[in-house]
Amino acid sequence: MADSFSKKEKAKKKAKKLKEKAERREQRKTDNNKGLELKDMLVYVDENGHLQDTPPDAPREEIKLEDIQLGAAPIEEEDPIKTGFVEKFILEKGYGFIREENGNGDNIFFHTSDLLDLIKQQDRVTFEKERSPKGYKAVNIKKA
């Protein structure tokens, strides 16, 4: 008996897949790296992290052990007494904000309990900057 059309098509597809698989196997055999010398398999990384086939020509920069810093950067001591002016002061609520003269432009909170002198808005003041759970806070505030 003769095969039906669909059986012939399935057989053709199967034969085609087997042929493609054999071709891929042959391609892998020709493209493999087995049997290469060590120098052909080495890859070099330059100072920018790019991979290269040739070793770098430039001499490496020497790094001193003293220059290596482990952990977080050390905190540099600042002058504890700062100067600024009272940007906003709400006497009824008991707090205000000071703008530091040589600062980054942030307002520093203060409470009336930290005042040593009577002040009003736009007064020039000296103060100490202290870290609080919500950010920086001005303490020991005096008129300048």
Side-chain angles (χ1 to χ4, degrees):
M1 279 182 93
D3 289 335
S4 68
F5 177 76
S6 63
K7 282 187 179 180
K8 289 179 186 176
E9 289 297 314
K10 283 183 184 179
K12 283 181 188 178
K13 283 184 183 179
K14 191 173 183 180
K16 184 179 176 187
K17 280 187 180 181
L18 287 173
K19 184 179 176 186
E20 287 174 356
K21 187 174 181 181
E23 288 174 358
R24 286 194 305 264
R25 188 180 317 124
E26 287 301 316
Q27 185 67 30
R28 279 195 305 267
K29 283 183 182 178
T30 58
D31 291 345
N32 73 3
N33 290 334
K34 291 182 182 177
L36 295 178
E37 292 186 27
L38 179 63
K39 65 179 178 130
D40 296 332
M41 291 189 282
L42 287 179
V43 176
Y44 300 95
V45 180
D46 66 2
E47 63 273 357
N48 298 323
H50 300 289
L51 301 176
Q52 297 180 344
D53 293 335
T54 59
D57 337 336
R60 297 176 86 181
E61 181 181 333
E62 289 294 322
I63 300 174
K64 298 177 186 170
L65 287 178
E66 299 85 39
D67 295 342
I68 298 174
Q69 176 186 340
L70 298 176
I75 299 172
E76 297 176 9
E77 285 295 320
E78 297 179 4
D79 184 24
I81 298 177
K82 308 278 185 183
T83 59
F85 64 93
V86 179
E87 181 146 318
K88 188 174 188 180
F89 182 47
I90 305 169
L91 184 60
E92 298 82 32
K93 298 208 176 187
Y95 69 90
F97 295 94
I98 298 173
R99 178 162 308 255
E100 198 175 348
E101 278 185 355
N102 298 330
N104 57 2
D106 291 342
N107 291 339
I108 302 168
F109 173 83
F110 73 90
H111 193 267
T112 53
S113 62
D114 297 319
L115 294 174
L116 299 178
D117 293 339
L118 292 175
I119 62 169
K120 60 184 189 282
Q121 202 157 324
Q122 302 300 325
D123 276 352
R124 200 173 161 80
V125 293
T126 60
F127 61 94
E128 293 178 22
K129 200 171 168 182
E130 183 179 278
R131 190 161 247 329
S132 71
K134 293 185 178 180
Y136 284 108
K137 173 183 175 182
V139 294
N140 300 331
I141 304 165
K142 297 180 192 174
K143 244 184 185 177

